Amino acid sequence: MKFAWIDLRTVPEPQREAVVDAAVHARLAGVVADDPALLDTLPPTITKVLVTDAPTDVPHLVAVVVDDQDRLDRLPTDAAFVQVRDDRTLKLACAAAVRLGHTIVEFTDPTKIPLEIVIAAADGAPGKLVTVVADLEEAAIVLDVLEHGSDGVLMAPRDATDVFKLARLLEATTPPLRLTTLTVDGIAHNGLGDRVCVDTCSHFQEDEGILVGSYSSGFILCCSETHPLPYMPTRPFRVNAGALHSYVLGPDNRTNYLSELRSGSTVLAVNAEGRTRKLTVGRAKLESRPILTITAHSPEGVEVSLTVQDDWHVRVLGPGGKVRNVTELQRGDELLGYIATEQRHVGIPIGEFCKES
């Protein structure tokens, strides 16, 4: 679980009380200060972190500023603050992250390569790595570095609003979806239409795809091109998703038409067990191709429809992540899908009557 600490050391005094109240209200993990008096009044639900040049006897987590290996070796506490500005201090940060319960690291250069090195060095270590960030944008980057990210971030907010925005950033993980088994009713060849390939900025796993459907009430899990195909290389970043009118399920239970996706848009990668993650679209490629329509139904009788390119190499996923070529689907075959309970208005779920056919 990722966490955030608020750094009070540079917060202006007029803003300090509001920032602390916001941190407690938003249930952030900790507050950092260089004055123990600022920590003494905090509730026990929040970690109180004192950054100091020398160990001191206070009932808080004490992070001692460490600048050389000898000081780290003699450290009487289980937390340290290391500023990384060269190769020597980078090695010191790695050693601290491997050994200590908490290591706060501040990087003087904008590159994230030193952070990647510290994360790799501390992989498997039981301690927590906390990285100092300048703002919310950097916090989002730091939390995802090397797909693992820093365990926590330390940020000095400008005001209480920044605190709440940081809390929402930590909640940005995508919840799992409850997939269902759909039964194919048939396929129909429809002639020429426009279909969209969605090229993302990440590799899909073999059992991952995106949820696409002609109706907002039901989606089919479209397979990515991670599996070998004759006559062409694999493209593990791509999903040959469907006709341009189709809905694609994204984060926060929102949908877009495939035709709306652009470079920088976000889609939801979903695996055969329903685990999800956000992916950034690098390109959406629309081309005219022969198309076919798959019709299926859920165990509750909800009708699901998906129109895709009419070609053997276009695939959807079945239970257990089984790969199925769309042109070979037959009545009674099983596919993985998702049934939504809400109708949609401009992609937003809404409880209103709407019949799609």
Side-chain angles (χ1 to χ4, degrees), residues 2-47:
K2 304 293 185 180
F3 63 89
W5 289 350
I6 292 301
D7 192 350
L8 294 183
R9 293 176 299 162
T10 59
V11 174
E13 185 173 354
Q15 296 288 341
R16 195 175 295 157
E17 183 178 356
V19 164
V20 170
D21 288 346
V24 174
H25 182 77
R27 299 184 180 181
L28 292 190
V31 171
V32 174
D34 50 14
D35 179 359
L38 296 176
L39 303 173
D40 291 340
T41 58
L42 293 175
T45 55
I46 201 162
T47 301

Side-chain angles (χ1 to χ4, degrees), residues 35-41 48-50 56-63:
D35 179 359
L38 296 176
L39 303 173
D40 291 340
T41 58
K48 308 161 193 176
V49 186
L50 179 69
T56 183
D57 186 19
V58 294
H60 310 312
L61 178 64
V62 178

Side-chain angles (χ1 to χ4, degrees), residues 139-316:
I141 295 170
V142 163
L143 291 169
D144 281 337
V145 166
L146 284 187
E147 297 185 10
H148 178 284
S150 179
D151 297 300
V153 293
L154 173 61
M155 189 183 85
R158 296 166 299 178
D159 50 34
T161 300
D162 274 356
V163 177
F164 290 114
K165 288 180 178 178
L166 181 58
R168 286 195 293 271
L169 179 65
L170 294 171
E171 296 170 354
T173 55
T174 56
L177 295 175
R178 184 176 180 179
L179 299 183
T180 190
T181 299
L182 305 173
T183 302
V184 173
D185 296 318
I187 62 173
H189 304 273
N190 304 126
L192 197 65
D194 294 335
R195 68 95 174 100
V196 178
C197 281
V198 180
D199 294 345
T200 71
C201 298
S202 303
H203 279 192
F204 286 90
Q205 301 297 317
E206 290 187 351
D207 67 341
E208 275 186 321
I210 60 177
L211 287 163
V212 186
S214 292
Y215 307 149
S216 62
S217 56
F219 305 82
I220 291 175
L221 188 54
C222 294
C223 184
S224 59
E225 296 185 8
T226 55
H227 302 271
L229 291 162
Y231 314 116
M232 60 187 301
T234 59
R235 293 183 173 89
F237 53 84
R238 170 175 293 176
V239 178
N240 192 326
L244 80 168
H245 73 279
S246 307
Y247 289 111
V248 56
L249 190 65
D252 303 319
N253 197 24
R254 298 283 296 268
T255 59
N256 286 101
Y257 295 120
L258 286 176
S259 62
E260 295 175 334
L261 296 182
R262 300 287 185 273
S263 179
S265 298
T266 304
V267 293
L268 200 64
V270 184
N271 78 353
E273 296 179 354
R275 291 195 298 271
T276 67
R277 60 191 178 108
K278 291 191 292 186
L279 297 184
T280 300
V281 175
R283 173 180 53 244
K285 190 160 68 88
L286 187 149
E287 296 166 313
S288 293
R289 294 288 188 270
I291 56 173
L292 66 80
T293 297
I294 306 165
T295 54
H297 65 272
S298 73
E300 302 80 19
V302 176
E303 183 180 357
V304 178
S305 175
L306 172 65
T307 298
V308 295
Q309 181 179 343
D310 189 345
D311 196 285
W312 178 85
H313 79 275
V314 179
R315 295 160 161 180
V316 290

